[in-house]
Amino acid sequence: MGLSIHYSGRIKDAASLPLLIEEVKDVCSVYGWKYRIAETVFPNNTLNEQEHFSPIYGISFTPPECETISLTFLSNGVMACSSGIYLFGNSKNATERDYIYRLFAKTQFAGMATHAIIINLFRHLESKYLTDFKLKDDSRYWETGDENLLQEKFKEYDALLDNFVLSFQTFPVEKGEGLMDYFDRLLEHINRLKK
């Protein structure tokens, strides 16, 4: 739960990887964000036709109060999530393997300004370095560029979280009660109030 971005794509060409990494590193340095660089050059500056899960190429960064944003690629240039590789790299299940290529990050707690910076960084990277790129933004800022909508969506998500916390404060978990039992009891209480 929380306002997030979901994205996928591939790098346009192998030779541009060091430039992409350098630009992202520069942005991280300006904002004081932590970053981690993986391999910086594809072998022979070419993309491999075969997919290999190791090594991984690119850069990941983590703004404060934000989940890590990965701009990491497999040997064939496809964006991939290293935790997805770790969890599902050996899986034969197509649905599980698909998680390797679906990158996401919750940005809600980083705040609206950081979210906008991340989205604008992706706009720049897409135009210069990425292809087949798709991004779904829960705030709809990626799709619309509308700062008013961005602000409204952040307020909505913050209100949802506040209400969730308030529900725990006004209708607390009883001692020894499991989470599922708590929600069953909460729903019964809500249904009684509706009558």
Side-chain angles (χ1 to χ4, degrees):
M1 185 172 124
L3 193 141
S4 303
I5 59 171
H6 307 261
Y7 56 100
S8 63
R10 58 187 309 119
I11 195 162
K12 282 182 184 174
D13 65 82
S16 66
L17 180 64
L19 299 171
L20 179 149
I21 291 170
E22 194 61 33
E23 285 196 29
V24 172
K25 189 175 96 173
D26 289 345
V27 169
C28 291
S29 295
V30 166
Y31 291 105
W33 298 346
K34 294 179 182 176
Y35 61 89
R36 183 176 163 272
I37 298 174
E39 295 296 318
T40 59
V41 178
F42 289 103
N44 302 319
N45 253 354
T46 59
L47 299 176
N48 194 330
E49 294 202 16
Q50 296 293 317
E51 175 183 82
H52 300 286
F53 290 145
S54 181
I56 198 156
Y57 304 87
I59 185 169
S60 300
F61 63 93
T62 310
E65 305 298 319
C66 185
E67 291 182 350
T68 298
I69 309 290
S70 294
L71 291 158
T72 49
F73 308 90
L74 299 178
S75 58
N76 60 0
V78 175
M79 278 187 163
C81 173
S82 58
S83 59
I85 293 169
Y86 177 78
L87 293 171
F88 305 112
N90 294 323
S91 177
K92 302 294 183 218
N93 181 299
T95 303
E96 288 179 350
R97 287 184 65 82
D98 196 39
Y99 287 118
I100 294 169
Y101 313 103
R102 293 185 184 187
L103 292 85
F104 62 90
K106 186 187 311 179
T107 59
Q108 179 176 353
F109 301 123
M112 191 174 60
T114 299
H115 181 89
I117 292 166
I118 292 167
I119 293 299
N120 289 324
L121 175 61
F122 270 115
R123 286 186 206 288
H124 170 74
L125 297 174
E126 179 194 27
S127 71
K128 200 167 176 182
Y129 301 109
L130 304 175
T131 188
D132 301 327
F133 186 72
K134 295 180 179 94
L135 191 143
K136 182 191 176 295
D137 176 5
D138 290 343
S139 78
R140 310 259 319 129
Y141 183 61
W142 169 263
E143 295 84 353
T144 66
D146 184 341
E147 291 181 10
N148 291 324
L149 181 59
L150 172 66
Q151 190 172 20
E152 286 174 28
K153 288 295 183 182
F154 260 83
K155 284 180 184 174
E156 274 179 36
Y157 275 84
D158 287 346
L160 283 172
L161 187 60
D162 290 346
N163 287 335
F164 186 73
V165 169
L166 183 60
S167 71
F168 273 109
Q169 292 170 340
T170 58
F171 197 85
V173 176
E174 293 178 352
K175 187 174 182 172
E177 184 175 39
L179 201 53
M180 291 306 294
D181 292 332
Y182 168 78
F183 281 112
D184 288 342
R185 185 169 61 84
L186 178 62
L187 290 174
E188 285 175 19
H189 176 73
I190 290 168
N191 287 331
R192 277 194 305 273
L193 290 175
K194 285 181 177 179
K195 292 180 181 177

